[in-house]
Amino acid sequence: MNAVIDLGNGDSLQLEPARRALRLYPGAGGAQAELTLNISKVHDLVPGIAYQVNARVYVEDNTNRQQQRMLCDLHATNLVTPIVRAGTVQLSGFVTDEQVRVVEQLRGGGDLWLNLRLTTSSVEWQADSIPADQYQAPAISDEELEGLRQDALRRDDALRATTKFLTEKFGPLPSSAKVTFERPLTKQRTGDLRFDINAGEWASQLVHVQAGAFVELLVPLTRGADYTDAVTALREARELLRQGRIEPAIVEARKAVEQVRVAYGTQKLFAAAKEKTPRQRTLDERWAFMVEDLFSTMSGAGHKDPVTQDFEYTREDGEMLIIATAGMLKRLSAASTSL
């Protein structure tokens, strides 16, 4: 995950995302985006060149990696003069609230994949030369000539300054000689950089700009492999949902709920509690109702009987059911460790 930009002089620039590269800050109607990149030269053959770095940012569609959406332009706030040892350059831009919502749809609950079209701009000196007999020395006074010489000396160009000084004072160089001079040229070079922002890291940035909220939930494995199959089913359900396969994801998550039903004996509790009013039900019975209702709701994705054949589940439905399943498994895990 790095970009190599050929400088055309035997050297190259290398750019890669810094650790925790992306930061979002609250803005009016959106968020300021700041991206930090590490930048260095491979050899630093021509030292002292300053670069302006810009990037056009694209976001990948996680369900179809061939599709990308343009997000925003980012621009470096300062010039950077890279050396062999890596430094950093910070790029800044703006994303709207609507763009944030589209990004959420594109990443589909997974990691956020960014593609940067990088552009580096620099002003570099181009050396040129012409035959001495074609060189027309400018009419210039001794005082002006001395000023030019002193200015060139201050820029560490003593040889060129001295040559020009001697030519002006004592006439043209031999016809076989050449007059060498430099002129500034603006150069642009491009490169591509693709990398991902971890889903949890992106979610924390959304919370920071008040564009969303998330609850981090880890479902641990306890007592050996007791619930390995259930956790595996939950992982598979998340991956299927990320691919946009909503009903298969719900069916897979239901496998995990089945283990919760068995572990808590919810069917028996549910049957006994149906005869009670909600106020009379014990806490275990109320949990049993939640598990059984969850299982029943998910069953509509796998069974197409006269009642469920017209059921349609949205992505948000799938997310809610999978998250609820994760909560049930975490509760079961905690209960099993205390037994």
Side-chain angles (χ1 to χ4, degrees):
M1 294 190 296
N2 69 324
V4 178
I5 299 178
D6 186 9
L7 297 178
N9 57 9
D11 210 345
S12 301
L13 288 178
Q14 290 190 347
L15 296 103
E16 62 182 8
R19 185 172 180 266
R20 297 180 179 175
L22 182 66
R23 288 288 184 271
L24 298 180
Y25 298 93
Q32 179 185 351
E34 290 189 355
L35 186 67
T36 304
L37 302 177
N38 294 327
I39 184 170
S40 62
K41 278 185 176 179
V42 175
H43 304 295
D44 200 17
L45 298 177
V46 184
I49 297 178
Y51 294 88
Q52 173 72 38
V53 182
N54 300 312
R56 177 157 288 187
V57 183
Y58 294 82
V59 179
E60 284 190 5
D61 185 338
N62 276 4
T63 60
N64 185 354
R65 287 293 172 83
Q66 302 304 313
Q67 294 186 5
Q68 299 179 11
R69 303 282 185 90
M70 193 271 182
L71 179 62
C72 66
D73 288 319
L74 300 178
H75 305 280
T77 54
N78 297 296
L79 297 175
V80 59
T81 306
I83 57 177
V84 173
R85 186 175 61 197
T88 61
V89 57
Q90 190 173 77
L91 286 71
S92 180
F94 191 82
V95 293
T96 66
D97 289 335
E98 180 60 28
Q99 286 177 305
V100 171
R101 286 190 284 270
V102 173
V103 168
E104 281 300 281
Q105 294 175 0
L106 293 174
R107 77 180 185 93
D111 295 340
L112 175 63
W113 281 93
L114 301 179
N115 285 270
L116 270 57
R117 308 285 169 80
L118 295 165
T119 302
T120 62
S121 303
S122 61
V123 176
E124 303 177 21
W125 289 94
Q126 175 69 47
D128 285 329
S129 64
I130 59 174
D133 57 3
Q134 297 179 17
Y135 176 71
Q136 298 296 321
I140 189 169
S141 67
D142 288 349
E143 292 79 9
E144 291 173 320
L145 189 61
E146 178 63 18
L148 288 175
R149 188 177 78 88
Q150 293 297 332
D151 180 62
L153 286 170
R154 283 193 294 271
R155 292 189 295 109
D156 295 326
D157 201 0
L159 178 61
R160 187 160 66 93
T162 302
T163 300
K164 189 170 184 178
F165 175 76
L166 292 174
T167 300
E168 293 295 333
K169 293 294 289 184
F170 303 109
L173 297 171
S175 60
S176 60
K178 288 182 178 293
V179 176
T180 300
F181 58 94
E182 292 181 335
R183 57 192 176 92
L185 290 178
T186 300
K187 295 187 177 182
Q188 283 194 342
R189 303 174 178 91
T190 60
D192 295 313
L193 176 60
R194 177 178 181 266
F195 63 97
D196 68 304
I197 303 295
N198 179 271
E201 183 179 343
W202 170 251
S204 67
Q205 292 302 309
L206 293 186
V207 172
H208 182 61
V209 298
Q210 300 177 356
F214 80 104
V215 176
E216 189 173 7
L217 185 66
L218 175 67
V219 181
L221 293 174
T222 59
R223 295 199 305 172
D226 279 5
Y227 305 114
T228 301
D229 292 343
V231 175
T232 300
L234 191 64
R235 289 198 196 110
E236 180 64 21
R238 286 186 58 192
E239 179 61 23
L240 290 168
L241 188 65
R242 190 193 66 78
Q243 297 171 9
R245 300 171 61 189
I246 298 170
E247 292 198 353
I250 295 173
V251 170
E252 192 67 26
R254 191 184 64 169
K255 296 177 183 178
V257 179
E258 288 176 352
Q259 292 201 34
V260 176
R261 296 176 80 205
V262 171
Y264 284 121
T266 56
Q267 286 177 284
K268 184 177 179 180
L269 286 168
F270 177 80
K274 283 196 301 182
E275 306 303 322
K276 299 180 181 180
T277 64
R279 282 177 172 272
Q280 294 175 322
R281 292 169 189 158
T282 66
L283 182 58
D284 286 343
E285 290 171 342
R286 296 182 189 203
W287 276 109
F289 263 78
M290 291 179 65
V291 174
E292 290 300 310
D293 282 343
L294 179 62
F295 184 79
S296 175
T297 303
M298 301 171 89
S299 296
H303 301 152
K304 294 303 179 183
D305 55 41
V307 175
T308 62
Q309 62 184 354
D310 295 326
F311 283 13
E312 292 185 7
Y313 295 85
T314 66
R315 180 182 189 87
E316 289 70 26
D317 294 337
E319 289 176 346
M320 190 283 292
L321 294 170
I322 290 172
I323 291 169
T325 302
M328 291 295 184
L329 280 180
K330 186 174 180 65
R331 181 173 182 266
L332 176 60
S333 175
S336 67
T337 56
S338 62
L339 295 178

